[in-house]
Structures are given as C-alpha cells and as structure tokens.
C-alpha cells in the first residue's frame, strides 16, 4: 500500500495529471450527469447524485447487499488491519499531509495488536490539486459503478474508474466477506462549518461504537450522520467497517493547522480504542475494561435543497447571511417553516417552505425543526446541493470504557 502509491511532487507529474482532465471530461459525462435544477427540491439519492447509490434491483445486486451485511463482524472480532486514507478528494489537503506524516513516522499510528496501513487514494487528483480528474472518486464504490468499471475495457476507463478498481483490490474487495481492511478511516475536509463530522452506515455497529467513544471520551462536539443508502458509493465502505472523517471549515487546497492537529489526535484516539477493543475480545473478563451504554445523537438526511435557479440553471440566489457559517447539526440552530435560507439577486429573502420539499424517506413535518448540514459546501455546487436538512435520532450504544480516561 506504500511506495508506489505516494504522489510525486514533480512539476511534470502535476502538469500531466492536470492535462488528463480535459480528455477525460467527455467520457465522464455519462457517469456524472448534472442533477435536475429545482429550487427547493432535492434528489432521493442524498449525498451521491449522478453515481448510483443503491445497487441495481437484480439478483446480483441483492447478493452484493447481503455480502455487505455478512462482513460486518467487527464488534465480536479482533481487528487485524486498519487503513487511514487521504486524498480521496485531491484538494482536501489535511488528509494528504497526515498520511505523508504517518508514512514518515509510522510509530505515531502503530499499535501492538493490529497493522495500520496509510494510503493515498486519488493520486492523480492530488498531483493536480483538484477534487477529481474526471469524476468524483468518492462516488465510485457502489456495486453498479464497480461492476461497470470492471466491464469497461482497460484502455477505455477514465482515471477514477481505474483507481476505484485499484483501491477496491487493495483495501477490499468491498463485496467480499473477507476484505483486507477491517476498518477504514477516510479523511476529508469541507468548506462548511461542520466541525468534526463522522459519517457511517446505519448498520455498521462498530463504526457507531468508535464514533460514540470519540464523542464521549475525546471530543464532545463531534457530530455523527448516517449515510443514506443501503449500498453507499463511498470509499470507506470497502472495508469491514468504515467512516468518513469530515472536518471543517477550511478552504479547498489549503491546510488549517488547527484542523490538521484535531484530525490527527482524533485518529490516534480511534486507534487506541481499536487496541482496547482487541484487548477486550481476547480477555473479556478483564477488570480494567468495562462496558457502558451511552446515547449517541445521529443525524439522518431528510431533504436535499438546491440553490434558486432560473430556467437555464443559473443561480438566482445564495445562502442567506443568517445561515451562512452557522454551526451545523447544532440543536440551538434549527431551521423551521419560514426560516430565511437564501437571498436572491435583488437582495430579497427566500424562506424555507417544508411543504415543497422532496423528502428523503418519511414525509416532513411542517411544524418540525430540522438541522442543516454541509451549508454552502463549495464542492456541492456542481451536485445541485445548497445544503441538507436532517433530523436527529438517539441510539443507545454500548462502548468500552478504559480504566483511565484518555489524555486529550
């Protein structure tokens, strides 16, 4: 997973990577169609417009979903290999620098009972300092996309098809009951004011356990959210368990020292918890470790909103000043029917109309309060997403409590 996977810093390599984008764009168009332009309506697909998100309703797709369920055995098993991934989006730089740091100083992430593998994913995009070359690599890991990529002749594959297959082979395979990585942490940054946001599958009990430990023993400001699909197209789903570690706000192509350090410490505590888990599995009668049950608030997407647009798809409004930069997924900052959400070109306020939204799942309560997420994320303009609305549910989660509280 090392050596050849690391990006070159040579200027020629960066220029070559950037040059690939123009040639690949035409081929990528079929893979990443632009979303429909609707003012307050969104797509049911949640975070993955344009790339599938749910396996095709075929016998093969159903079998793939059953494999995803069968491989989630971490809560009762010793973890052998953990992967830390950076650069899935090439212009989200904190993860890139963290992986390079861990490669240079492996003792920082080394633990006695398991291997830690550090991995740079979208190498071409990292070299070009852009989110992706032809299509978003973090929308390339559902069954439909991987199957299509595998069936595409090698000389016809766009860069992210090729790389998705390589990453799936290195860390998975995703649709196997014995993937290489037992846990995958995929490091991301966002321009939105989300703080630390941990994203994982609703049925991934071990990812939820790690998230709950981090929130209650490490950083109480952590927020969590479920991925909306049964077969999410996101890179961490390759492993037996996995989560996206989303930290912001920070501008793309830049690094915030505070966010870099916060992410690094969070990862170290997550690795410590996996070490604690392995110790407990090997010696469940230990008096040094006990289980406690905590309540974990988890957000679920209920709607996706686009910006106001005209018939040509051009923006006619922007995030309202009262919403821009507000803390996300914070119970003190909910949105309700009539809340200001956009300012139009004339400076007039556009208010939230819950009755006109296309809900993801259950119908919306017009009298309800919903928490926004990924407000004005720069990378989501092309996806037709101004922000998501979420509702928060509480889950009882059993976690391991060490005898000594971890030092922050």
């Amino acid at each position: 997973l090392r050596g050849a996977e690391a990006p070159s810093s040579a200027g020629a390599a960066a220029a070559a990577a950037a040059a690939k984008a123009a040639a690949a764009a035409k081929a990528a168009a079929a893979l990443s169609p632009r979303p429909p332009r609707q003012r307050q309506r969104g797509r049911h697909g949640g975070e993955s417009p344009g790339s599938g998100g749910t396996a095709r309703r075929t016998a093969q797709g159903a079998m793939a979903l059953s494999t995803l369920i069968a491989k989630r055995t971490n809560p009762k098993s010793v973890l052998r290999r953990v992967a830390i991934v950076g650069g899935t989006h090439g212009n989200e730089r904190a993860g890139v620098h963290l992986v390079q740091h861990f490669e240079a100083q492996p003792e920082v992430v080394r633990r006695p009972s398991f291997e830690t593998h550090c991995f740079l994913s979208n190498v071409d995009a990292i070299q070009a300092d852009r989110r992706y070359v032809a299509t978003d690599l973090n929308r390339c890991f559902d069954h439909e996309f991987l199957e299509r990529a595998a069936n595409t002749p090698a000389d016809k594959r766009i860069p992210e098809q090729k790389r998705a297959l390589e990453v799936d082979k290195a860390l998975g395979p995703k649709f196997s009951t014995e993937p290489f990585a037992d846990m995958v942490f995929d490091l991301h940054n966002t321009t939105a004011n989300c703080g630390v946001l941990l994203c994982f599958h609703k049925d991934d009990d071990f990812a939820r356990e790690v998230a709950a430990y981090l929130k209650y023993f490490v950083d109480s400001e952590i927020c969590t959210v479920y991925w909306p699909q049964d077969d999410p197209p996101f890179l961490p789903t390759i492993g037996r368990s996995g989560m996206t570690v989303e930290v912001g706000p920070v501008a793309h192509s830049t690094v915030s020292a505070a966010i870099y350090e916060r992410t690094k410490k969070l990862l170290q505590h997550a690795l410590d918890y996996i070490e604690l888990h392995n110790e407990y599995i090997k010696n469940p009668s230990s008096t040094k470790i006990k289980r406690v049950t905590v309540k974990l608030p988890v957000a679920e997407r209920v709607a996706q909103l686009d910006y106001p647009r005209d018939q040509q798809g051009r923006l006619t409004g922007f995030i309202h000043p009262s919403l821009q930069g507000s803390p996300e997924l914070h119970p003190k900052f909910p949105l309700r029917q009539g809340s200001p959400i956009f300012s139009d070109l004339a400076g007039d306020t556009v208010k939230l109309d819950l009755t006109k939204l296309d809900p993801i799942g259950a119908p919306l309560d017009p009298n309800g309060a919903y928490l926004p997420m990924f407000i004005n994320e720069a990378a989501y303009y092309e996806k037709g997403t101004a922000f998501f609305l979420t509702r928060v549910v509480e889950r009882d989660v059993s976690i391991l409590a060490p005898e000594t509280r971890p030092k922050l």
Side-chain angles (χ1 to χ4, degrees):
L1 298 179
R2 298 172 179 157
E5 305 295 348
S8 167
S9 59
K20 292 180 182 180
K26 186 175 181 179
L31 296 172
S32 301
R34 293 183 65 82
R37 300 304 186 189
Q38 298 175 326
R39 192 177 81 171
Q40 287 196 22
R41 290 185 178 272
R43 295 162 47 92
H44 286 288
E47 194 175 343
S48 59
S51 68
T54 303
R56 293 197 306 271
R57 299 305 182 189
T58 62
Q60 189 174 9
M63 185 177 298
L65 291 178
S66 67
T67 302
L68 294 183
I69 297 170
K71 75 176 182 178
R72 296 189 183 111
T73 59
N74 279 341
K76 297 181 180 180
S77 305
V78 170
L79 276 68
R80 302 160 298 164
R81 291 180 288 266
V82 174
I84 299 173
V85 180
T88 299
H89 293 140
N91 60 356
E92 297 175 14
R93 307 304 292 189
V96 174
H97 291 288
L98 279 167
V99 166
Q100 292 170 340
H101 171 64
F102 296 152
E103 288 280 13
Q105 299 187 27
E107 67 277 4
V108 176
V109 292
R110 184 181 298 131
R111 298 296 183 273
S113 69
F114 60 89
E115 301 171 4
T116 303
H117 297 265
C118 298
F119 190 79
L120 291 173
S121 47
N122 199 340
V123 179
D124 287 345
I126 294 169
Q127 292 172 343
D129 192 23
R130 56 191 299 163
R131 183 176 175 88
Y132 55 79
V133 177
T135 195
D136 191 335
L137 182 63
N138 207 33
R139 305 296 186 272
C140 293
F141 295 98
D142 60 8
H143 182 263
E144 181 178 354
F145 189 99
L146 289 172
E147 184 182 49
R148 188 192 316 169
N151 291 334
T152 300
D155 61 342
K156 301 292 185 182
R157 291 171 185 157
I158 63 172
E160 277 81 10
Q161 281 184 312
K162 178 176 180 290
R163 191 57 176 156
L165 293 174
E166 293 171 347
V167 174
D168 185 57
K169 182 179 180 181
L171 300 182
K174 174 175 178 175
F175 297 100
S176 163
T177 56
E178 294 295 332
F180 176 85
D182 292 314
M183 183 72 186
V184 178
F185 296 99
D186 191 22
L187 310 182
H188 287 257
N189 295 129
T190 173
T191 61
N193 188 21
C194 72
V196 174
L197 178 61
L198 305 180
C199 318
F200 46 88
H201 195 282
K202 59 181 171 47
D203 295 328
D204 190 339
D205 292 338
F206 189 73
R208 184 166 44 241
E209 184 178 332
V210 172
Y213 172 82
L214 293 174
K215 181 172 180 65
Y216 282 91
F217 283 96
V218 178
D219 186 345
S220 62
E221 295 182 358
I222 286 174
C223 295
T224 62
V225 62
Y226 287 143
W227 291 319
Q229 304 95 331
D230 291 329
D231 175 19
F234 310 130
L235 186 148
T237 61
I238 295 173
R240 196 178 296 280
S241 287
M243 66 169 60
T244 301
V245 180
E246 191 84 60
V247 191
V250 63
H252 294 321
S253 302
T254 69
V255 179
S256 160
I259 283 177
Y260 173 92
E261 286 297 327
R262 191 177 188 186
T263 308
K264 180 170 68 174
K265 290 179 181 179
L266 194 73
L267 282 171
Q268 290 174 302
H269 285 295
L271 297 177
D272 289 342
Y273 185 77
I274 294 172
E275 181 68 23
L276 186 71
H277 165 84
N278 283 353
E279 181 182 343
Y280 180 79
I281 293 297
K282 294 175 182 177
N283 186 15
S285 61
S286 172
T287 58
K288 295 182 179 181
I289 307 172
K290 62 179 181 179
R291 279 205 170 272
V292 297
T293 299
V294 299
K295 290 189 178 296
L296 179 67
V298 187
E300 298 177 329
R301 292 167 177 81
V302 297
Q304 173 185 342
L305 286 80
D306 194 1
Y307 297 89
R309 298 179 187 268
D310 62 19
Q311 292 183 347
Q312 286 73 46
R314 297 173 299 190
L315 267 65
T316 60
F318 318 100
I319 296 296
H320 193 273
S322 66
L323 183 58
Q324 177 63 44
S326 65
E328 299 188 1
L329 299 174
H330 197 294
K332 291 185 179 180
F333 297 92
L335 293 179
R336 306 175 187 274
Q337 179 75 6
S339 293
I341 54 173
F342 299 116
S343 289
D344 66 16
L345 295 175
D348 295 327
T349 295
V350 178
K351 296 181 179 181
L352 178 62
D353 188 347
L354 293 169
T355 66
K356 293 184 178 179
L357 296 184
D358 184 14
I360 301 171
L364 300 178
D365 178 2
N367 298 313
Y370 299 96
L371 303 183
M373 178 179 71
F374 290 127
I375 302 168
N376 209 18
E377 159 58 45
Y380 285 3
Y381 276 72
E382 69 175 23
K383 299 180 185 299
T385 303
F387 60 91
F388 293 95
L389 290 181
T390 72
R391 66 165 60 93
V392 174
V393 297
E394 282 195 338
R395 287 290 304 268
D396 288 334
V397 184
S398 175
I399 61 174
L400 299 174
E403 187 177 37
T404 304
R405 191 177 183 90
K407 295 180 180 180
L408 305 185

